[in-house]
Structures are given as structure tokens and as C-alpha cells.
Amino acid sequence: MIYLDNAATTKTAPEVVEAMLPYFTENYGNPSTIYSLGSTAKKAVNQARRTIAEAIGAKQEEIYFTAGGSEADNWALKATAEAYSQKGKHIITTKIEHHALLHTCEYLEKHGFEVTYLDVDGDGLVDLEVLKAAIRPDTILISIMYANNEIGTIEPIAEIGAIAKEKGILFHTDAVQAFGQIPLNVDELNVDMLSASAHKLNGPKGIGMLYIRTGVKIRSFVHGGSQERSRRAGTENVPGIVGFGAAVERAVRTMDEKIKKETELRDYLIGRIEKEIPYSRLNGHRTRRLPGNVNFAFQFIEGESMLIMLDMKGICGSSGSACTSGSLDPSHVLLAIGLKHEIAHGSLRLTLSEENTREEMDFVVEELKKIVTKLREMSPLYEDFMAKQGKGQ
Ligand SMILES: *Cc1c(COP(=O)(O)O)cnc(C)c1O
């Protein structure tokens, strides 16, 4: 099997599983209890909190564990909207956010908030002038993702943070795709809130965090006990938190090498596809791009058929984001960068890890060439196009 869907989820690293195991077995205590079994668990939770805080230049009391990236996004938006609604009811985001964010915005719109969804350019970048023009006196929050999960484009987060700071508006970033993949620091970026998720960086599923800068007013997300400084009640997912900490520790340690390896493989794969498969187009920015992200639109092809045929060769990819596959709507991200419906449908996302090899990339290109040719031979659109081309000559 060749796994090229690391934006959907990653393999839990063996050292992460190793670190988690004792917290299922001998160290099963509840961190809120006072005997030593409980304090062992509490120490482990706080150790993970420190590791994660250090990785983004935050204080440990600014890290709040959640059940993943979606919960962190929900919390950041709903709870600040509520806490700042006296000041205003306007929120700014983009058209290319993850559904965890977009659907939360739709929910807020039903509850009296107004949301501006910024357009992006053909590469998926937010225009800073367009952002500035969208800011109003009643704008309370700007939420813009760090890096896009489909096309890999990295947004100008530090510049956006500077604008938000100057205008005194809260700034949240969904950094689920960026955290652990590329260096980031909350002070350099001027972000007030940041979402992350362990399973996108070789950690376990169902655990994530929201960074909340000291001083930001934010309502509790889960009411109950005093866990997470009374803002997110519920007995901690101790093994998950320990695994998250171990994954971050590993990501920080291996980041430089991982970036170098993935970027080389990515550019090799992009280069071969562009050269060897006609009527293909790279989606997303060529250089301001996550190290492991490759996303192509192939004209005259249906993405789902391509995925099924790749799967028969043992290759796992995605035709959009994993959340939208199964539905026939083309990806909102691909439409937002200006792709026509039929071209968006023929898109393929391949997201690499440091475990992939050049031989695997060669195999993928060879198989992809055969698949694209075969699917185009069956496509009436391609037949029409070729007939017209023939007449033109
Ligand atoms: C995966 C992802 C999420 C959701 O994270 P979960 O932990 O799966 O809930 C949110 N935003 C982005 C950009 C993602 O890639």
C-alpha cells in the first residue's frame, strides 16, 4: 500500500503509541484525585501541555485540550462571538476554510451574527487589501486558516495578525494542517487563538487543543468540573493528551528533515505529472505550499473513478477533502480558486509523509498516466475536445 492521504489523517507513530500505553494500563488514575495514582496522570497531562506550549511559544496555561480540531474551531468561534457580542456581531473568514469553521459560521449567522466570507485568488491566497476593506467598526473576530487542507496554500498569517492587532480585533487561525509540519509562533504571528489536532501530526485521533491568549474573554465550552481551568469540563483524555505531547515532541525534533524530504518528493511528483500528463493543472500556490501537498486537476476526468482505480493499485489518495467525499458537490475550495465545476470534479489530492520514497512516486506517476488515459478514452467530453482540436489544425 502507498498511503498518500496524510492531510486526512496520519499514522500514529510507534513512539507515540508506546508513550500512551501506560496511561491505559498501570497509570489509569483520574488527574483530579489527590493520591499518587492521580497525580501521576496529572503530571503527564501537564508535561504534554508544556511541550505543546513550548512548540508554539505560548504559556502552558494558554493551552486547552479539546476532542480535536473541529471542537477547537467550534469553541473559538462560538465562545468569542458570545463573549464579544456587546462590542459587535460581525465576523470575517474566508471561502476556503474547513467545514468545522464554515458550518460554525453558518450556525452563528442563524443566531444574529453577520459573516463576511473573503474571496481568495487563483492560488488560494487571501488579499490583505480585501481583508482591510472588509473590516467594520462592529467586527469582533477574524478567523483565517494557516494552511489549506485541500490545496496546501499557506496564508500570510503574520501580516493578517498585524492588521487584526492594529485594529484591536481578535484573530483566530485554524492551524490544524500547519502545526507540527512547519514552524509557528503565536507571538510572531499575533494570533489570539489557534486550533490544532494530534492526528494530523502522527498523534492519536480525538484529541486536539485550542490556544487562547491570556486576556481573551472566552466562554466555557463544556460546563461541569474544573478541568482545563473550568473552561472545558470532563475527565481528561489522559492517554490522548500524552500521545499528543509525544507527537509534538517528535514533530519538533524531526521537522527540518521532514520538511526537506517532503518538499523534494512533492516537487519531484509535481514536475513529473506536469511534464507527463497533458491537460493537467496544479491547484494551490507553487511555493507558499505545505511540504507534503500535491493537488492536480485533470481535465475530462471524474475524480471518484480515478480514486477507485488508484485504490486497485494500492494507492490511497483523495479527490477533495475526506469530509466531502461521498457527496457529489465539488469542493468549495476548488470552486473558490476559480475552477469550473467539471474541472474541480477531476481533481486529485496526494499528501505525502516522510516515509514515502521516490520509487513510490515513480510508481504513482506510471499508474496515474495509465488511469488518466483510460478514463479519457471513455469520456465523451474528451472525444469532443479532440475532434475540435483536429478541425482546428
Ligand atoms: C482535519 C482538520 C480539521 C478537523 O480536525 P479533527 O481533529 O479531525 O476534528 C479542522 N481543520 C482543518 C484544516 C483540518 O485539516
Side-chain angles (χ1 to χ4, degrees):
M1 188 188 78
I2 303 179
Y3 186 73
L4 299 175
D5 204 14
N6 286 279
T9 197
T10 57
K11 180 167 97 181
T12 313
E15 69 183 84
V16 169
V17 176
E18 194 81 11
M20 291 171 75
L21 284 176
Y23 296 90
F24 287 107
T25 53
E26 63 263 35
N27 299 330
Y28 56 83
N30 184 325
S32 301
T33 55
I34 57 164
Y35 38 81
S36 54
L37 188 65
S39 48
T40 304
K42 193 184 179 88
K43 268 189 214 139
V45 166
N46 285 334
Q47 177 56 47
R49 203 186 302 279
R50 263 196 302 280
T51 304
I52 294 166
E54 253 170 53
I56 59 169
K59 302 196 235 0
Q60 70 180 86
E61 65 271 18
E62 295 174 318
I63 304 296
Y64 295 84
F65 290 114
T66 65
S70 300
E71 184 186 311
D73 285 346
N74 269 259
W75 186 9
L77 263 71
K78 288 180 189 163
T80 46
E82 205 189 327
Y84 287 82
S85 63
Q86 299 291 18
K87 189 186 166 219
K89 292 198 156 191
H90 180 234
I91 295 167
I92 300 174
T93 186
T94 76
K95 290 189 175 162
I96 62 165
E97 300 297 313
H98 189 272
H99 280 138
L101 215 118
L102 289 178
H103 290 167
T104 305
C105 285
E106 285 167 22
Y107 167 85
L108 288 170
E109 283 178 304
K110 290 196 188 104
H111 288 79
F113 290 87
E114 229 185 296
V115 182
T116 299
Y117 300 91
L118 299 178
D119 283 316
V120 292
D121 71 10
D123 289 329
L125 283 174
V126 169
D127 182 330
L128 298 176
E129 295 308 315
V130 172
L131 167 65
K132 281 187 202 161
I135 294 174
R136 312 192 315 209
D138 61 339
T139 306
I140 50 171
L141 176 70
I142 297 173
S143 179
I144 295 179
M145 72 197 323
Y146 199 108
N148 186 269
N149 46 303
E150 293 189 36
I151 57 175
T153 299
I154 299 170
E155 298 298 339
I157 294 301
E159 289 84 343
I160 296 169
I163 294 169
K165 191 176 181 187
E166 191 205 312
K167 303 272 183 186
I169 300 169
L170 285 181
F171 178 38
H172 165 255
T173 186
D174 172 343
V176 173
Q177 288 291 331
F179 184 45
Q181 313 294 335
I182 50 179
L184 51 94
N185 177 293
V186 290
D187 287 336
E188 285 167 18
L189 299 170
N190 275 314
V191 303
D192 298 304
M193 289 172 286
L194 177 146
S195 307
S197 178
H199 77 99
K200 303 286 173 79
L201 55 121
N202 306 98
K205 293 167 185 56
I207 183 77
M209 65 95 174
L210 181 64
Y211 154 78
I212 308 174
R213 185 178 291 280
T214 306
V216 172
K217 279 193 290 177
I218 186 166
R219 300 283 162 90
S220 300
F221 193 64
V222 179
H223 302 277
S226 60
Q227 293 91 355
E228 303 301 293
R229 309 174 83 221
S230 297
R231 282 171 154 182
R232 202 278 188 183
T235 302
E236 296 86 343
N237 172 359
V238 179
I241 291 170
V242 169
F244 192 6
V248 170
E249 207 258 357
R250 176 183 177 276
V252 169
R253 176 164 35 84
T254 59
M255 190 177 290
D256 290 347
E257 209 181 318
K258 182 173 154 75
I259 291 175
K260 185 167 172 285
K261 189 162 181 219
E262 287 178 8
T263 307
E264 268 170 27
L265 276 186
R266 174 195 78 188
D267 292 341
Y268 176 70
L269 183 58
I270 290 174
R272 278 204 66 185
I273 293 176
E274 283 186 324
K275 203 152 69 203
E276 298 175 43
I277 305 185
Y279 310 114
S280 62
R281 170 196 191 273
L282 179 70
N283 294 322
H285 198 281
R286 196 169 287 275
T287 52
R288 288 190 62 101
R289 185 180 195 98
L290 286 172
N293 180 289
V294 175
N295 190 319
F296 270 93
F298 298 101
Q299 276 189 65
F300 319 111
I301 281 184
E302 224 277 293
E304 298 295 308
S305 340
M306 203 166 18
L307 285 187
I308 293 164
M309 290 169 82
L310 283 168
D311 183 39
M312 291 193 293
K313 297 291 174 186
I315 302 164
C316 308
S318 159
S319 66
S321 73
C323 327
T324 51
S325 61
S327 98
L328 284 176
D329 293 334
S331 136
H332 63 285
V333 175
L334 298 177
L335 295 181
I337 61 169
L339 264 59
K340 294 205 195 87
H341 275 241
E342 67 272 20
I343 294 180
H345 267 303
S347 287
L348 174 70
R349 178 185 76 182
L350 301 172
T351 43
L352 322 179
S353 80
E354 75 273 31
E355 286 187 10
N356 292 123
T357 62
R358 192 173 272 248
E359 289 67 40
E360 287 177 339
M361 299 303 112
D362 288 330
F363 178 74
V364 169
V365 174
E366 294 309 324
E367 291 307 320
L368 203 51
K369 274 158 63 176
K370 286 186 236 164
I371 291 169
V372 168
T373 307
K374 199 182 261 175
L375 288 174
R376 281 181 179 161
E377 278 168 1
M378 303 185 318
S379 157
L381 286 173
Y382 186 62
E383 203 180 325
D384 280 358
F385 174 81
M386 291 316 277
K388 277 190 200 125
Q389 291 285 96
K391 264 185 224 147
Q393 278 161 11

